[in-house]
């Protein structure tokens, strides 16, 4: 059986589990939910995607989780899913994987002290807190953050690029820049070019999306 079929079958088996799991936490945390839905383009939707990817990351590793999440979003796009919904899901999926990585670091050396269900509870609380801090996209129609050019997708800003930003652009990118600063990943243009030559970064040439949006050239880290 090919990889695509394996992922599809696994997704179908897990769908109900994650809806029920999210429903439990939605009631516990008071997550906002769009009336008349089971959670669509709202806090519950964001929570479900992040928790699902965190769960997969914890159980199978980040790469496997990303393959499952990306496949799901590709299927959605192929079936007419709007770009803003795909952007929201990819963003929240990435935050979920990052949350799992954060938990692994916190539990380093004490991992065996906790059951898998206890770890899921920890992840749920961490994701709830990220929603409260505004780190997830919960309203895709009114949230301008773009996954494709964000640090969640490996986006790397250089000192020169930051210095040339307008006040508007800086405010827009400030959360990503702050996160990159915390990770100590900001470098000069010369260092970035050298990293590309060494195979540690890639450079994305300027391009235009299908909707006509222009995307400037930028550096991106390699997938972990």
């Amino acid at each position: 059986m090919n990889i695509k079929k394996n992922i599809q079958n696994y997704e179908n088996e897990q769908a109900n589990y994650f809806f029920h799991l999210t429903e439990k936490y939605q009631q516990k945390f008071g997550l906002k939910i769009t009336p008349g839905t089971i959670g669509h383009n709202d806090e519950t939707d964001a929570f479900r995607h992040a928790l699902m990817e965190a769960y997969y990351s914890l159980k199978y590793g980040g790469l496997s989780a990303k393959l499952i999440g990306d496949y799901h979003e590709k299927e959605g796009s192929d079936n007419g899913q709007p770009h803003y919904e795909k952007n929201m899901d990819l963003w929240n999926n990435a935050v979920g994987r990052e949350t799992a990585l954060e938990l692994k670091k916190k539990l380093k050396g004490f991992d065996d002290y906790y059951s898998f269900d206890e770890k899921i509870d920890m992840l749920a609380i961490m994701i709830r807190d990220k929603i409260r801090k505004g780190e997830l996209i919960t309203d895709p129609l009114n949230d301008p953050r773009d996954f494709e050019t964000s640090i969640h997708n490996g986006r790397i800003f250089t000192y020169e690029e930051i210095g040339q930003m307008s006040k508007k652009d800086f405010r827009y990118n400030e959360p990503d820049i702050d996160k990159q600063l915390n990770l100590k990943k900001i470098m000069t243009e010369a260092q970035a070019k050298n990293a590309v030559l060494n195979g540690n970064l890639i450079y994305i040439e300027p391009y235009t999306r299908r909707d006509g949006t222009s995307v400037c050239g930028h550096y991106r880290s390699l997938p972990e």
Side-chain angles (χ1 to χ4, degrees):
M1 187 179 292
N2 61 37
I3 294 175
K4 180 178 178 180
K5 194 68 176 178
N6 278 331
I7 292 175
Q8 188 175 41
N9 289 343
Y10 187 76
E11 265 209 326
N12 291 337
E13 291 171 4
Q14 293 291 296
N16 287 334
Y17 171 76
F18 284 112
F19 273 110
H20 289 307
L21 191 62
T22 300
E23 184 179 27
K24 180 185 80 170
Y25 288 119
Q26 187 270 330
Q27 294 172 356
K28 182 177 180 179
F29 298 149
L31 299 170
K32 294 178 183 177
I33 186 169
T34 303
T37 74
I38 54 175
H40 184 63
N41 293 347
D42 52 23
E43 288 186 355
T44 303
D45 189 343
F47 180 90
R48 181 174 64 253
H49 276 83
L51 185 63
M52 178 179 69
E53 285 292 287
Y55 174 101
Y56 288 145
S57 294
L58 207 61
K59 195 167 186 179
Y60 305 116
L63 179 58
S64 294
K66 187 176 188 307
L67 284 172
I68 294 171
D70 287 356
Y71 173 79
H72 176 79
E73 298 314 320
K74 184 182 183 304
E75 286 282 285
S77 293
D78 291 345
N79 291 316
Q81 180 188 39
H83 175 74
Y84 61 84
E85 289 187 359
K86 178 182 179 181
N87 180 70
M88 171 184 177
D89 294 345
L90 289 173
W91 181 286
N92 295 330
N93 287 352
V95 173
R97 293 191 296 272
E98 291 165 10
T99 305
L101 191 59
E102 290 169 14
L103 181 63
K104 288 177 183 178
K105 289 179 180 177
K106 285 183 180 180
L107 298 182
K108 191 173 182 180
F110 299 92
D111 188 76
D112 294 337
Y113 285 84
Y114 301 94
S115 68
F116 189 78
D117 286 342
E118 287 174 323
K119 292 173 189 174
I120 295 302
D121 276 336
M122 293 178 198
L123 287 171
I125 292 170
M126 292 169 73
I127 292 169
R128 177 205 63 188
D129 292 345
K130 287 177 184 287
I131 288 177
R132 292 177 177 177
K133 292 176 183 176
E135 294 183 25
L136 278 77
I137 293 178
T138 60
D139 183 2
L141 283 172
N142 296 298
D143 195 320
R145 291 178 290 182
D146 179 42
F147 169 76
E148 198 168 338
T149 57
S150 75
I151 197 169
H152 295 299
N153 197 30
R155 176 72 154 91
I156 296 292
F157 294 97
T158 64
Y159 284 109
E160 289 86 350
E161 185 180 8
I162 294 169
Q164 294 169 7
M165 285 181 184
S166 66
K167 289 183 179 179
K168 180 180 178 181
D169 286 341
F170 181 80
R171 284 197 298 270
Y172 173 78
N173 291 301
E174 190 171 6
D176 277 357
I177 293 170
D178 286 344
K179 187 168 184 179
Q180 195 176 323
L181 274 169
N182 291 333
L183 295 171
K184 299 180 180 179
K185 286 188 176 181
I186 294 184
M187 58 186 71
T188 65
E189 185 75 20
Q191 289 172 327
K193 288 180 178 178
N194 191 52
V196 171
L197 291 175
N198 292 333
N200 296 320
L201 286 183
I202 55 176
Y203 181 72
I204 307 298
E205 297 287 347
Y207 64 94
T208 302
R209 294 185 187 139
R210 291 180 181 176
D211 63 4
T213 303
S214 296
V215 179
C216 296
H218 58 276
Y219 295 97
R220 186 176 293 172
S221 60
L222 298 173
E224 296 182 0

